Amino acid sequence: MLVMNAVEVRYLDVILVLRGVSLEVPPGEIVALLGANGAGKSTALKAISGLLETEEGKVTDGSIYFNDTRIDRMSPEDIVRLGIVQVIEGRRVIEHLTTEQNLRGGAYLRHGDVKRELDMVYSYFPRLKELRHATAGYLSGGEQQMLVMGRAMIAHPKLMLLDEPSMGLAPLLTKEIFDMIQRFNSEEKTAMLIVEQNARAALSVAEHGYVIENGRVVLDAPAAKLTDNPDVKEFYLGVGTRGEKKSYREVKHYRRRKRWLA
Amino acid sequence: MDQFLQFLVNGIMIGGIYGLVALGLVLVYKSSRVLNLAHGSFLMILAWLCWSFAEQLGLPIWLSILLVLVISVLAGLGVERFMLRPLIGQPILAVIIATLALGYLLEGVAIMAWGADTKGLPEFIPREAIWLGPVSIAQHYLWAFGIAILLFVLLYLFFRYTKMGLGMQIVSEDQQVARSLGIRVKNILAQSWAFALVIAAISGILYASLNSVNNGNALIGLTKALPVMLLGGLESLYGALVGGIIVGVFEIVVGGYMDPWVGGGFSNVAPLFLMLVILLIRPYGIFGWQRIERI
Ligand SMILES: Nc1ncnc2c1ncn2[C@@H]1O[C@H](COP(=O)(O)OP(=O)(O)O)[C@@H](O)[C@H]1O
Ligand SMILES: [Mg+2]
């Protein structure tokens, strides 16, 4: 359904951030995109949603297809109309509007009464219903995360791009959010591409995962395989770490060297 | 006491108009973060156009007003297309300077077209005073005040209940999020400029019908509406109304008592004096957005 082909992205025409990323999201599937800070995960999502345009970024090579439509030259407004919605990282609620007004904003492209859509979101997040007249800027972090996700869900997208939904949330809330992601995916058949630092949470719901580093895909495997991969274990799942974070590439060198020495 | 009441009522009436003028500034600022320094010039030139249609072309006044409203919508769309869009990506200061230039351009056009004359609009609302006990209100002031209030209510309902209004509010806070939801920001900006210039037209015509049509009317953009906007809060609609009334009352009451002492003229600087004080103690105004900070 979504296919990225050797995509290269530059900001301001010079800062090369993605160096030929290829990935695929099949219909109805959840795909995880993992990687350290600054690897280019958010950039990859913005390349898909077209929001690069708002940050002076451009796809300078390769292509992105959604079904049979080439979308890497399209404006974000038109890409949304194809059914791709990005939840930008950092819980960007419209602070001065109420919860419900924020949700109505998510339904901006739907015609007619959105009452049923609102109820759909409230069925996933009953907390939002209680808070529907509250000013969004004063919600807690977890509630704001629910709100931005609800704002995307209300549009019934075919593909949802989630950027770090668990950032800064307590483990219990993270679990709640990921349970909801799974439920929405199985009930609505919405495909999802989830960017996460919390690899464990993301891999627990994803069918497939990619690891990117320095703008390149360095690993690409079914989620179960990734979970078992020793390097992923060490660097993204926090199993057997020596407390210090190194890049996947460095590990490889380190291992190789160790083997030579042995 | 009677004199004070009279000043108070006069202040409230004129304050309604100031609030309406400021409302045009607020709309533009809310959507695009631009302080429109040409607002006063727009309201002056739109009032001149109304006078020309009515007095020079002999059209009925209501038709003249309607034509001016249509022109103001087109002007608003034109400003977005030919001024804002080419300046996308430039610092906001560049856009503000562009509005300043546009304001001077409009004043130049006004001088060429209508000279330095002062004219009166044909009467289209009754003028006889109404007496409320010891206080008299000139009817045309009351009408103007009523129209201002009506516009505030309509705009409130528009923002509260329409999709376009919701879109404007989202764009005003976060353009990137707006685009991520599929809202076409350029259209929203064009619409809010069109709204603002319709309001400029109405307030310009009302102000001219209270006083007269002349190039000096452009000054109320900076000397009255700007203090009102700062007082009420840059983004607040009802702030503009409340701020307008405060500035109107301050100007008439303080000016009314002070002018005999200082030989006149204090009422003209009163709003600016108030603006200075506001900037010092409450830079975001009474109803303006305080940044919501969480820890
Ligand atoms: N708007 C931008 N302009 C210039 N450089 C950017 C911009 N956004 C991100 N970058 C750079 O691109 C790299 C990848 O950023 P990002 O995609 O946000 O990483 P991630 O989401 O994986 O943490 C970083 O080095 C960052 O500094
Ligand atoms: Mg990121």
Side-chain angles (χ1 to χ4, degrees):
Chain A
M1 180 165 72
L2 178 87
V3 181
M4 285 179 89
N5 258 321
V7 169
E8 195 180 273
V9 168
R10 278 167 217 266
Y11 287 108
L12 302 163
D13 294 322
V14 286
I15 309 168
L16 180 61
V17 172
L18 292 192
R19 305 152 192 263
V21 167
S22 299
L23 64 78
E24 215 172 303
V25 183
E29 267 192 26
I30 299 183
V31 173
L33 182 56
L34 311 176
N37 236 337
K41 305 179 299 293
S42 300
T43 300
L45 293 194
K46 285 177 200 150
I48 300 167
S49 67
L51 287 176
L52 272 185
E53 192 186 305
T54 63
E55 299 184 1
E56 314 221 18
K58 243 200 223 122
V59 174
T60 48
D61 201 6
S63 62
I64 307 176
Y65 280 89
F66 184 64
N67 296 323
D68 292 322
T69 315
R70 183 161 180 183
I71 61 173
D72 50 279
R73 298 265 185 284
M74 284 171 66
S75 73
E77 295 90 338
D78 290 328
I79 292 174
V80 175
R81 283 168 172 78
L82 296 177
I84 301 179
V85 174
Q86 175 172 3
V87 179
I88 305 170
E89 79 189 302
R91 309 194 187 106
R92 298 264 288 273
V93 299
I94 301 297
E95 293 188 345
H96 296 89
L97 296 184
T98 64
T99 299
E100 186 161 311
Q101 284 175 310
N102 268 273
L103 292 174
R104 283 179 186 277
Y108 196 79
L109 300 179
R110 298 192 78 79
H111 298 288
D113 195 17
V114 295
K115 186 98 194 32
R116 272 195 27 221
E117 266 64 42
L118 284 169
D119 286 338
M120 183 270 291
V121 172
Y122 293 148
S123 81
Y124 284 96
F125 299 118
R127 185 89 188 105
L128 291 184
K129 187 166 188 181
E130 291 164 31
L131 293 166
R132 64 188 183 278
H133 300 304
T135 301
Y138 292 113
L139 303 187
S140 73
E143 291 157 353
Q144 291 189 338
Q145 185 59 43
M146 294 176 192
L147 180 50
V148 292
M149 295 189 51
R151 192 172 68 189
M153 287 155 57
I154 202 169
H156 293 284
K158 299 190 181 91
L159 171 64
M160 229 166 121
L161 310 170
L162 294 175
D163 201 343
E164 307 218 22
S166 81
M167 188 170 32
L169 294 187
L172 213 62
L173 264 172
T174 303
K175 187 175 171 330
E176 197 177 318
I177 297 281
F178 273 87
D179 285 349
M180 197 294 309
I181 288 174
Q182 199 156 33
R183 187 180 138 205
F184 187 70
N185 164 261
S186 66
E187 286 174 9
E188 297 272 331
K189 305 286 170 254
T190 303
M192 301 192 182
L193 180 57
I194 306 181
V195 159
E196 259 302 337
Q197 304 248 11
N198 185 338
R200 190 186 303 281
L203 290 175
S204 73
V205 297
E207 273 102 324
H208 201 92
Y210 292 82
V211 177
I212 67 172
E213 217 166 70
N214 237 324
R216 282 198 185 84
V217 174
V218 291
L219 258 178
D220 158 18
K225 275 231 173 87
L226 276 184
T227 319
D228 289 338
N229 181 300
D231 297 325
V232 173
K233 259 189 180 159
E234 183 165 350
F235 291 97
Y236 296 106
L237 298 178
V239 180
T241 36
R242 283 172 285 278
E244 172 199 5
K245 280 221 162 175
K246 280 192 210 150
S247 86
Y248 173 74
R249 223 172 264 267
E250 281 172 62
V251 193
K252 277 207 153 157
H253 286 304
Y254 170 71
R255 290 240 159 101
R256 250 178 261 143
R257 221 167 2 152
K258 215 164 58 174
R259 244 174 271 133
W260 290 334
L261 293 175
Chain B
M1 190 60 203
D2 285 356
Q3 190 190 27
F4 176 77
L5 276 181
Q6 182 68 57
F7 283 154
L8 192 65
V9 167
N10 290 354
I12 292 173
M13 294 296 128
I14 194 70
I17 301 287
Y18 291 169
L20 194 60
V21 178
L23 185 59
L25 287 180
V26 169
L27 271 178
V28 161
Y29 182 80
K30 236 173 125 65
S31 62
S32 51
R33 304 282 130 194
V34 171
L35 182 61
N36 178 15
L37 296 175
H39 194 67
S41 309
F42 270 116
L43 75 82
M44 173 271 292
I45 212 164
L46 289 165
W48 267 125
L49 278 176
C50 186
W51 176 82
S52 280
F53 290 148
E55 295 289 342
Q56 292 183 306
L57 302 182
L59 301 178
I61 182 71
W62 294 109
L63 182 60
S64 308
I65 292 175
L66 193 68
L67 279 176
V68 170
L69 294 183
V70 171
I71 290 170
S72 63
V73 169
L74 296 177
L77 301 179
V79 167
E80 190 277 328
R81 182 66 193 81
F82 299 108
M83 200 181 86
L84 296 186
R85 224 182 276 183
L87 288 173
I88 284 177
Q90 302 300 319
I92 215 78
L93 189 61
V95 185
I96 295 173
I97 301 291
T99 67
L100 182 66
L102 180 63
Y104 280 121
L105 185 76
L106 291 174
E107 285 185 36
V109 169
I111 288 170
M112 284 194 308
W114 294 284
D117 280 354
T118 291
K119 303 278 185 195
L121 281 181
E123 273 184 47
F124 61 101
I125 34 183
R127 285 171 172 265
E128 317 85 69
I130 300 173
W131 285 89
L132 294 173
V135 176
S136 79
I137 308 176
Q139 251 189 71
H140 53 312
Y141 274 81
L142 197 57
W143 275 94
F145 183 75
I147 291 169
I149 299 289
L150 180 70
L151 280 170
F152 271 99
V153 171
L154 285 179
L155 213 65
Y156 169 79
L157 295 175
F158 168 80
F159 277 115
R160 190 80 185 71
Y161 294 107
T162 71
K163 188 175 265 195
M164 199 201 280
L166 178 64
M168 282 187 190
Q169 295 186 76
I170 294 176
V171 167
S172 81
E173 192 176 311
D174 193 330
Q175 294 201 2
Q176 193 183 37
V177 166
R179 298 188 73 184
S180 84
L181 301 175
I183 299 169
R184 297 194 194 281
V185 172
K186 283 174 198 159
N187 295 357
I188 295 277
L189 293 187
Q191 285 154 7
S192 39
W193 274 80
F195 265 58
L197 290 197
V198 165
I199 286 169
I202 296 173
S203 52
I205 292 169
L206 285 176
Y207 189 77
S209 76
L210 301 182
N211 302 291
S212 59
V213 196
N214 71 71
N215 296 346
N217 289 4
L219 280 174
I220 66 174
L222 289 181
T223 59
K224 315 286 188 201
L226 193 60
V228 169
M229 185 195 191
L230 288 168
L231 177 62
L234 301 177
E235 299 95 349
S236 172
L237 302 180
Y238 43 83
L241 180 59
V242 175
I245 290 173
I246 293 175
V247 168
V249 169
F250 187 76
E251 173 183 306
I252 303 286
V253 172
V254 175
Y257 287 114
M258 294 276 290
D259 280 358
W261 291 87
V262 295
F266 186 73
S267 52
N268 284 329
V269 293
L272 296 167
F273 176 73
L274 197 56
M275 177 167 88
L276 269 177
V277 175
I278 300 154
L279 282 174
L280 288 175
I281 57 176
R282 213 178 148 89
Y284 44 82
I286 304 175
F287 299 104
W289 287 352
Q290 298 179 50
R291 293 272 134 244
I292 295 177
E293 305 280 0
R294 275 178 316 274
I295 306 148

